[in-house]
């Protein structure tokens, strides 16, 4: 990503200063990641001139690419560090995935799940074309976490961080089981109309600490531990 001279660099730097730093995003690594990842390459051609505006934009299949500020807030709340193993639900366009990949660096890994196959494939193609390789993809319902969990030899491997980028009716229970002690998850929780960004920290002895921050509006998490079916899910 770094080597390619990019005509949108100035727009992106302005986005970071005005929309992110100007509104209280202070974590240097988050600002740097969002200065680097070319958001215009994650939106359809007709939206490219608005890629660095302060808004969510439509993507395919009635889904959206989140507002830059929301991506920054979630990434900052997640407190992602280099070398971490991060699970993301809702690959969507792959933009947030790219930001996470940048944050964890070459020694870390992102595991991303998308239930709509066409979106997941497109995102994968984009990220591969950008040379981003510290990521594993899965197509299907991610509300129960990474299928079968991760294993090293015969021991389960847990995630340092989990980010859900779709609105859930409650914190999906199986995700807590896939989180390390000391690990954190960020998930929008609410109804189909609006949610609150919830941060869940897994403490020793399986205790959970939860805190809510800002209001948000995501498309629904559809699946076993989310909303039950697309036809009956509130919102769209
Ligand atoms: N982070 C994305 C935006 C995500 S929009 C970006 O930066 O572009 C939410 C995504 O979650 C949608 O693509 C939707 O299809 C997906 N999704 C909804 N329910 C899901 C589930 N149970 N498992 C995996 N993905 C899901």
């Amino acid at each position: 990503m770094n080597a390619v001279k990019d005509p949108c660099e100035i727009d992106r730097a302005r986005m970071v200063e005005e929309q992110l730093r100007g509104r209280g995003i202070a974590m240097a690594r988050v600002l740097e990641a969002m200065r680097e990842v070319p958001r215009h390459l994650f939106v359809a051609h007709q939206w490219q001139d608005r890629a660095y505006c302060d808004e969510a934009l439509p993507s395919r299949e009635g889904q959206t690419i989140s507002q830059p500020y929301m991506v920054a807030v979630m990434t900052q709340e997640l407190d992602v560090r280099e070398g971490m193993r991060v699970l993301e639900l809702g690959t969507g366009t792959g933009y947030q995935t790219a930001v996470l990949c940048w944050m964890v660096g070459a020694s870390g890994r992102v595991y991303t799940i998308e239930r709509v196959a066409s979106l997941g494939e497109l995102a994968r193609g984009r990220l591969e074309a950008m040379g981003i390789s510290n990521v594993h993809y899965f197509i299907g319902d991610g509300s129960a976490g990474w299928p079968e969990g991760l294993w090293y030899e015969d021991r389960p491997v847990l995630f340092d961080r989990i980010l859900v980028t779709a609105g859930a009716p409650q914190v999906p229970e199986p995700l807590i089981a896939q989180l390390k002690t000391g690990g954190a998850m960020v998930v929008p929780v609410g109804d189909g109309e609006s949610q609150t960004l919830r941060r869940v920290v897994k403490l020793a002895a399986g205790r959970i600490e939860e805190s809510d921050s800002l209001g948000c509006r995501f498309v629904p998490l559809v699946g076993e531990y989310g909303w039950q079916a697309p036809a009956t899910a509130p919102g769209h």
Side-chain angles (χ1 to χ4, degrees), residues 63-66 90-96 113-116 119 140-143 165-166 219-222:
Q63 307 295 336
T64 53
I65 175 169
S66 307
T91 315
T93 63
Y95 176 65
Q96 171 81 69
I113 307 183
E114 170 56 54
R115 71 176 271 280
V116 180
L119 292 178
D141 174 15
S143 65
T165 70
V219 299
L221 181 77
V222 177

Side-chain angles (χ1 to χ4, degrees), residues 62-81:
Q63 307 295 336
T64 53
I65 175 169
S66 307
Q67 178 196 18
Y69 177 67
M70 188 51 68
V71 172
V73 167
M74 290 195 296
T75 311
Q76 179 166 274
E77 285 211 3
L78 204 59
D79 190 17
V80 182
R81 318 229 188 101

Side-chain angles (χ1 to χ4, degrees), residues 80-186:
V80 182
R81 318 229 188 101
E82 217 165 338
M84 281 185 165
R85 195 178 293 113
V86 181
L87 173 65
E88 179 196 37
L89 304 193
T91 315
T93 63
Y95 176 65
Q96 171 81 69
T97 318
V99 170
L100 292 174
C101 287
W102 198 96
M103 297 286 296
V104 300
S107 59
R109 285 288 173 278
V110 175
Y111 294 77
T112 186
I113 307 183
E114 170 56 54
R115 71 176 271 280
V116 180
S118 58
L119 292 178
E121 296 303 340
L122 200 66
R124 180 182 192 140
R126 274 192 191 114
L127 294 170
E128 283 178 357
M130 289 175 193
I132 297 175
S133 57
N134 54 344
V135 52
H136 300 273
Y137 303 88
F138 183 79
I139 304 287
D141 174 15
S143 65
W146 192 256
E148 320 280 313
L150 286 183
W151 294 84
Y152 179 70
E153 294 175 348
D154 57 352
R155 304 202 5 219
V157 177
L158 302 174
F159 292 101
D160 298 291
R161 299 288 187 263
I162 298 180
L163 178 61
V164 183
T165 70
Q170 67 275 311
V171 177
E173 205 54 48
L175 297 185
I176 294 173
Q178 290 198 355
L179 198 58
K180 247 183 205 172
T181 297
M185 162 162 54
V186 170

